[in-house]
Amino acid sequence: MAASAKKYTVTTSAIRASGRSYLRVQVTNRYGTTKRFTVKQRVCVSKKSCRTITATMTVAGQRTSWQNKHLGKAVHYKSGKHTVSVAAPSTPSPTPAPTVTVTRTAVPTAHPTATVTATRTATATATVTETATATATATVTETATATATATVTATVTETATAMVTATPAVTVTETVTATPTPGTTETPDPSDGPTPTPTPTPDPSITEPGTTPTPDAFCGAPVNPAGYTFCDTGRLQTAPDRAACAVFTCIPSYDTGRGYLVMCKDEQVSMSGGRSGVCSSHGGYLRTVFLRAA
């Protein structure tokens, strides 16, 4: 079921692949800038066993992205309509500036004192004495307090590899017909029968032309004809190829990358793998994207 708006389209569907159930969520962003979409869909195994699945995706402007949410081995179906909320991508909070506390105390003291003593004698002598005292004292106290905050980000990458060995059963049936000659008895020779040809054992890692690869062959990556996979048995892509942008959402500086193909934590892909500061503006490194071996 799809929820359409002027600026985006969201589609949800319950699918089965390799004996497991998935909720596939696809978002087309028609905004001119990158947006963060939160999609909630209720799924059920039975009327009494239901739960709500939440898928959060950051999609660049004028791009389409999808996500498969694993539900389990039981068969699931959707219940009701999904809900969608749209917001701008979150940005890291700035580090607060150090706090500086300044205390100033000024104690001025100015007490001019003037003393006049007048003495008159019969000799007509006048003595005048004037004393002025001015004292000024200023005290300044400054206290600076700096607060530093350190942020540590831990990245955990889990890789699951599934190996399947198929052993076909070979059944050989021999039929020998002998026509005896009157008076003689002839015993058939088993070596005269046809030699059975065994059926070759299929290699699960090789996809025959004209067949569609299963999701397990991509280790959780979207099924795509270009061969992009999360399985670490493939090879690294070390040159920008726009075919990757048809499978994933590429960051704006994808074509100028000088490393190998990786996926950032906001699920956009970059060509800065193996270089300092990879995915620094997209939440950090998430996983490496490989090309399936030819």
Side-chain angles (χ1 to χ4, degrees), residues 7-218:
K7 294 298 184 179
Y8 63 86
T9 300
V10 177
T11 302
T12 61
S13 58
I15 61 174
R16 294 278 297 174
S18 300
R20 297 178 181 270
S21 294
Y22 298 86
L23 177 66
R24 182 179 179 86
V25 181
Q26 180 170 313
V27 177
T28 299
N29 179 10
R30 297 191 182 90
Y31 288 94
T33 58
T34 299
K35 295 293 182 181
R36 188 176 183 85
F37 295 84
T38 301
V39 182
K40 295 184 178 181
Q41 174 66 62
R42 186 174 176 83
V43 296
C44 301
V45 177
S46 64
K47 291 183 178 180
K48 296 183 179 180
S49 178
C50 297
R51 57 186 170 133
T52 299
I53 303 299
T54 301
T56 302
M57 292 184 290
T58 300
V59 184
Q62 306 300 324
R63 294 285 186 177
T64 297
S65 182
W66 60 86
Q67 187 178 112
N68 289 338
K69 303 291 289 187
H70 181 248
L71 302 178
K73 294 183 178 181
V75 177
H76 289 69
Y77 62 90
K78 297 192 307 178
S79 176
K81 296 182 178 180
H82 56 258
T83 61
V84 182
S85 60
V86 183
S90 59
T91 56
S93 302
T95 302
T99 303
V100 178
T101 304
V102 178
T103 303
R104 298 178 184 273
T105 304
V107 183
T109 302
H111 298 288
T113 303
T115 303
V116 178
T117 303
T119 304
R120 293 184 181 183
T121 63
T123 57
T125 300
T127 301
V128 178
T129 301
E130 294 183 356
T131 302
T133 302
T135 303
T137 303
T139 302
V140 178
T141 302
E142 295 186 357
T143 302
T145 302
T147 302
T149 302
T151 301
V152 178
T153 302
T155 302
V156 179
T157 303
E158 294 185 0
T159 303
T161 303
M163 299 182 64
V164 180
T165 302
T167 303
V170 179
T171 302
V172 179
T173 302
E174 290 190 17
T175 302
V176 178
T177 302
T179 303
T181 302
T184 63
T185 302
E186 185 176 5
T187 303
D189 187 0
S191 64
D192 293 337
T195 301
T197 301
T199 303
T201 301
D203 186 352
S205 64
I206 301 177
T207 303
E208 293 295 332
T211 62
T212 302
T214 64
D216 287 347
F218 297 88

Side-chain angles (χ1 to χ4, degrees), residues 203 205-209 217 225-229 231 233-236 290-294:
D203 186 352
S205 64
I206 301 177
T207 303
E208 293 295 332
Y228 291 101
T229 177
C231 301
T233 56
R235 56 187 176 86
L236 296 176
F290 298 87
L291 280 170
R292 296 180 66 200

